[in-house]
Amino acid sequence: MAGVSVDCYVRLERGRSASVSVSVLEAVARALQLNDTERNHLFALAKPTRRRPRATATQRARPGLLRALQNVADIPALLLGHRLDVLATNRLARAFYLDFDALPADERNMARYIFLNDAARDLYVDWPGTAREIVGMLHLYASHHPHDPRLARLVGDLSVSDRDFRRWWADHDVYQARHGSKRYHHPLVGDLTLGFEAFTPMGDHDQTLGLYTVEPGSPSENALRLLASWTADNAHISPGEAAKHAH
């Protein structure tokens, strides 16, 4: 279907074809009916000379993005970096993801939160679906930064700690967050359905700005308003402590 020999395809599949042409990769992508995310993943894996440099430097949110996050008051917003590290959040996101800021700096990572924090399994109504997307996002990042030691350590830690992660990592699926919606069950305000929009800031291609959206006049909007009001009125109490009392 791709118009290449079996021997050529096997060499490509096993990573032994360093000089593969763009036309061959395009033909393979069409034959496999890859979507845009999977196609980009294929090209990153098959063209090592075009890979980005190693991502070893510590990422930081630039001041303008920090101000933008803090100016977003009515919906949760957060900034993700390499390996889904959480670089910054606004007040409502800190209330939504219970006591996330209480974690040590090197543990503020969405993959660690999803797989290692019991609260995440209760927060996401479809936890398996969200967790698989997280694994797919890490795989997509790995194709562009294959020699990142922090990624290797993160994958190792999650593989040792969670059998679901081990199983899904072995599937090699990729995923790129763009937009969509998810259902949640928050311990303070109950059930919500929130949309999300993901943006890449200009000049920071390995960062993702995530904004949650809510249908005007919906029960979910009322729940978010309640959470925002509670956060403003009880700034001296962590959401996690409040959730314990709520139970």
Side-chain angles (χ1 to χ4, degrees):
M1 292 175 64
V4 300
S5 68
V6 173
D7 182 62
C8 175
Y9 184 83
V10 169
R11 289 201 309 272
L12 175 63
E13 198 172 58
R14 295 179 179 178
R16 301 204 311 260
S17 185
S19 60
V20 61
S21 68
V22 171
S23 61
V24 167
L25 292 178
E26 292 283 10
V28 170
R30 286 195 300 270
L32 296 177
Q33 299 181 3
L34 302 185
N35 60 33
D36 288 344
T37 299
E38 294 164 340
R39 178 186 175 278
N40 291 338
H41 185 58
L42 169 66
F43 272 74
L45 290 172
K47 289 287 188 180
T49 56
R50 297 185 181 180
R51 287 174 180 163
R52 302 175 191 176
R54 291 177 60 178
T56 56
T58 300
Q59 282 188 302
R60 302 187 188 282
R62 63 177 185 252
L65 282 175
L66 285 175
R67 287 193 295 271
L69 278 179
Q70 300 314 316
N71 289 337
V72 177
D74 297 331
I75 55 174
L78 68 166
L79 183 67
L80 301 179
H82 292 321
R83 305 163 297 270
L84 303 180
D85 294 330
V86 178
L87 304 181
T89 56
N90 69 351
R91 177 178 292 183
L92 197 49
R94 291 192 291 274
F96 191 75
Y97 292 103
L98 299 180
D99 291 343
F100 198 91
D101 276 7
L103 295 171
D106 60 351
E107 294 183 13
R108 295 176 194 171
N109 176 280
M110 285 305 295
R112 289 187 184 276
Y113 174 76
I114 291 291
F115 283 97
L116 304 183
N117 194 316
D118 290 339
R121 296 176 186 261
D122 296 328
L123 177 64
Y124 291 92
V125 173
D126 180 17
W127 179 87
T130 297
R132 294 201 68 159
E133 290 173 354
I134 289 290
V135 175
M137 292 168 73
L138 286 179
H139 254 304
L140 186 62
Y141 169 81
S143 66
H144 292 84
H145 299 287
H147 306 299
D148 183 350
R150 295 183 185 179
L151 175 66
R153 183 164 61 250
L154 173 63
V155 171
D157 290 347
L158 295 177
S159 296
V160 169
S161 303
D162 192 276
R163 64 180 181 180
D164 287 327
F165 181 88
R166 289 195 301 273
R167 178 160 52 92
W168 293 332
W169 183 259
D171 289 340
H172 294 276
D173 290 335
V174 292
Y175 174 77
Q176 184 171 30
R178 291 189 174 94
H179 57 83
S181 65
K182 292 186 183 296
R183 293 184 299 135
Y184 303 88
H185 181 79
H186 196 278
L188 288 178
V189 296
D191 294 332
L192 307 92
T193 298
L194 300 180
F196 67 88
E197 298 287 338
F199 304 91
T200 301
M202 295 295 291
D204 291 295
H205 298 297
D206 280 325
Q207 295 185 10
T208 300
L209 176 64
L211 301 178
Y212 292 78
T213 64
V214 64
E215 188 72 25
S218 65
S220 297
E221 183 184 45
N222 294 333
L224 271 189
R225 286 180 176 175
L226 179 60
L227 183 61
S229 175
W230 183 96
T231 302
D233 294 340
N234 298 275
H236 62 290
I237 304 174
S238 73
E241 287 298 318
K244 292 177 184 177
H245 293 301
H247 286 299

